[in-house]
Amino acid sequence: AAGPVLRRALGSDWRGTVVAVVANGRTVRVKLTDWCACGNGRIIDLDRRAFAQLALPSRGVLPVEVEW
């Protein structure tokens, strides 16, 4: 789910955009289909399966870079 900052950066046609999310030397590509409020500097909310490709889900929050 795309947060407000990411949605603004991508423009009004952000739904369906595929982005690369990078963390811990790993990359996962996800399609943006929903939005989130994502406060406190967070820009994206990943589902459990996508997050697990970057880190253990029990970590909860992870600093990432989003590339499009």
Side-chain angles (χ1 to χ4, degrees), residues 21-24 42 46 51 54-56 59-65:
V21 183
V22 182
N24 295 327
R42 297 178 189 159
L46 300 174
F51 190 97
L54 302 174
L56 292 173
R59 182 147 178 201
V61 177
L62 180 69
V64 300
E65 291 181 26

Side-chain angles (χ1 to χ4, degrees), residues 24-36:
N24 295 327
R26 298 178 181 171
T27 302
V28 62
R29 296 181 63 77
V30 297
K31 182 186 284 190
L32 301 174
T33 59
D34 201 1
W35 66 275
C36 68

Side-chain angles (χ1 to χ4, degrees), residues 2-49:
V5 172
L6 184 54
R7 292 192 313 268
R8 277 193 301 275
L10 293 172
S12 62
D13 195 26
W14 61 270
R15 285 186 196 269
T17 301
V18 175
V19 297
V21 183
V22 182
N24 295 327
R26 298 178 181 171
T27 302
V28 62
R29 296 181 63 77
V30 297
K31 182 186 284 190
L32 301 174
T33 59
D34 201 1
W35 66 275
C36 68
C38 297
N40 299 325
R42 297 178 189 159
I43 58 173
I44 195 166
D45 184 20
L46 300 174
D47 68 20
R48 185 177 180 86
R49 193 173 108 205

